[in-house]
Amino acid sequence: MQILLMLIVLIAVTSFFYMRQAKFGKLPAGERLARIEKSPHYKDGGFRNLIEKPTLTEGYSIPGELYKTIFTKFPNRNPVDSLPSLKTDLKSLPIDSNLIVWFGHSSFYMQLDGKRFLADPVFSGSASPVPGSVKAYKGSDIYTADDMPAIDYMLISHDHYDHLDYETAIALKNKVKQVICGLGVGAHFEYWGYSPEQIIEKDWYEKVEVAEGYTIFTESTHHESGRGFTRSKALWLSFLIQSPTMKVYYSGDGGYDNRFAEIGRKYGVIDWAIMECGQYNKAWQAVHELPEEVARATVQLKAKNMLPVHHSKFTLANHPWNEPLNKITEFSNHKPYRLATPMIGETVHLNDDQQVFTKWWERVN
């Protein structure tokens, strides 16, 4: 018993000092916290989803899911082969071209009517603060912060490690004009050396005026946040970008609810929907959509085109690595939107409705 207690104390002390590293970020305090506490979405010391429901689906338990993850062998969770990818020279792309380049998982670069965007960039090769865990697949990590041009707006959907990467944020600090993130997330960036002028923190249903006829709207999603043991101190977002010629929606992470139908009614037809589709499980369906829900949500958004993300770089669930692409392809049959499935690094031309995408994942073991 004494040995067990000593081990527990040792683990607690080690964890305490390990989590004091800069990569864990900073909780909001002072004026930032005072502003957060005025948000209608912040209650009893944390942000809340619009519809309160348990993270775990009824019939599932945290110990049960941990046991399955540790002791059950799930097939094909990681690709054996290197993923096919393209190294596009982002700095040489004409600024008047409307396009997206996806980097795997939820990271993507976008040019839209003369502005450059970068969303949830993770270029460190890892999606975890624990060394050696959650490593990027072979071939999926070919881009670095050095490959990025100057960025007008970096969009951060929430502060989980697979969306907000410390090493990447530090490397991009002098390339990013402004970061748009949820309330509280700015505390991390300020701690990491970003100036207050670079940081725009927003609640749900707010906006950033880019230029005449050009606005970034912050919308809700059903998810959570946190980089340590303290949860939900920073807000999670989705984004609707309305440029002079196009509307693009980025879902961020989150379970299915009626927000997609409401966004479709609010903004009308959306040209491109960039939708989370991967790292799901029936057990945590409340905070990560299943592929059939992604297809349903895209229809409700009235999207003309859909690009699925949150897959093909990190294993964060027990499904086969290529299942999200297989499933969303199946569920997108006979839907009113066009499905885009580019390889990592392949340029998606937003104004070209004739561009063809291959089922590249079918060639990968």
Side-chain angles (χ1 to χ4, degrees):
M1 181 62 71
Q2 286 181 331
I3 294 174
L4 179 60
L5 288 174
M6 288 174 64
L7 283 173
I8 292 172
V9 171
L10 179 61
I11 291 170
V13 171
T14 302
S15 298
F16 173 78
F17 284 103
Y18 183 76
M19 292 181 66
R20 293 175 69 85
Q21 294 181 83
K23 63 183 173 183
F24 288 93
K26 206 78 167 176
L27 293 175
E31 292 182 5
R32 176 174 279 111
L33 180 58
R35 182 189 171 195
I36 286 172
E37 290 173 339
K38 295 177 182 177
S39 168
H41 309 118
Y42 189 87
K43 301 172 185 175
D44 301 323
F47 283 103
R48 297 289 185 267
N49 287 302
L50 294 176
I51 300 173
E52 296 282 357
K53 53 185 174 181
T55 298
L56 278 181
T57 305
E58 186 176 354
Y60 295 86
S61 68
I62 292 176
E65 291 308 301
L66 285 174
Y67 181 88
K68 284 190 286 187
T69 300
I70 296 170
F71 296 107
T72 303
K73 184 174 177 58
F74 294 92
N76 201 28
R77 291 181 73 211
N78 303 282
V80 176
D81 299 340
S82 179
L83 300 191
S85 54
L86 297 172
K87 191 67 180 285
T88 298
D89 183 357
L90 304 175
K91 297 174 183 176
S92 69
L93 294 171
I95 190 58
D96 59 352
S97 298
N98 290 343
L99 53 85
I100 288 174
V101 177
W102 172 62
F103 305 124
H105 204 63
S106 292
S107 306
F108 64 90
Y109 169 79
M110 180 170 67
Q111 290 183 183
L112 189 59
D113 288 339
K115 299 295 182 183
R116 294 186 174 98
F117 298 84
L118 183 62
D120 289 352
V122 179
F123 300 137
S124 69
S126 175
S128 168
V130 180
S133 65
V134 196
K135 303 297 289 182
Y137 301 154
K138 290 182 291 184
S140 71
D141 201 37
I142 64 170
Y143 286 87
T144 70
D146 287 341
D147 296 319
M148 301 300 115
I151 301 298
D152 294 299
Y153 296 98
M154 184 160 74
L155 309 179
I156 302 296
S157 63
H158 62 297
D159 70 357
H160 285 163
Y161 296 96
D162 58 322
H163 294 260
L164 176 54
D165 181 56
Y166 167 69
E167 288 84 354
T168 303
I170 291 295
L172 288 169
K173 183 166 54 178
N174 296 324
K175 288 194 172 190
V176 173
K177 293 180 183 177
Q178 291 190 301
V179 177
I180 303 178
C181 57
L183 293 175
V185 178
H188 301 310
F189 283 97
E190 197 164 329
Y191 179 51
W192 295 336
Y194 281 67
S195 70
E197 292 73 28
Q198 282 179 282
I199 304 166
I200 301 174
E201 292 177 80
K202 290 294 183 182
D203 203 340
W204 294 333
Y205 317 128
E206 295 190 325
K207 61 185 179 180
V208 177
E209 299 285 357
V210 174
E212 185 176 353
Y214 207 138
T215 306
I216 302 169
F217 297 92
T218 53
E219 288 289 332
S220 71
T221 183
H222 188 104
H223 202 52
E224 56 190 10
S225 66
R227 295 176 72 82
F229 297 122
T230 305
R231 317 302 295 174
S232 300
K233 296 295 185 181
L235 188 60
W236 41 98
L237 302 177
S238 62
F239 299 90
L240 190 289
I241 303 165
Q242 185 162 14
S243 79
T245 66
M246 192 169 288
K247 282 178 279 189
V248 177
Y249 175 73
Y250 171 42
S251 71
D253 282 6
Y256 177 82
D257 61 24
N258 63 359
R259 70 183 179 279
F260 299 106
E262 292 175 357
I263 290 169
R265 287 191 292 269
K266 184 175 180 179
Y267 297 102
V269 174
I270 290 171
D271 296 282
W272 280 86
I274 303 164
M275 301 291 286
E276 176 206 14
C277 183
Q279 317 321 310
Y280 49 77
N281 189 317
K282 185 69 176 176
W284 58 78
Q285 184 179 354
V287 290
H288 286 287
E289 294 172 274
L290 303 179
E292 54 266 40
E293 293 175 317
V294 176
R296 189 187 316 148
T298 305
V299 172
Q300 292 178 329
L301 285 167
K302 302 176 185 176
K304 295 179 181 178
N305 304 275
M306 190 262 277
L307 171 66
V309 298
H310 211 248
H311 61 83
S312 301
K313 189 166 187 174
F314 303 113
T315 295
L316 296 167
N318 294 328
H319 60 66
W321 77 270
N322 53 5
E323 183 182 281
L325 286 165
N326 286 326
K327 289 287 188 181
I328 197 59
T329 299
E330 172 190 349
F331 289 119
S332 295
N333 281 332
H334 309 299
K335 292 295 191 296
Y337 61 83
R338 184 177 65 119
L339 179 67
T341 55
M343 290 187 294
I344 290 172
E346 181 179 359
T347 302
V348 178
H349 300 283
L350 301 184
N351 297 106
D352 183 3
D353 60 7
Q354 301 301 310
Q355 185 176 2
V356 176
F357 302 96
T358 66
K359 295 182 179 180
W360 57 266
W361 62 93
E362 293 183 345
R363 307 191 302 270
V364 180
N365 292 315

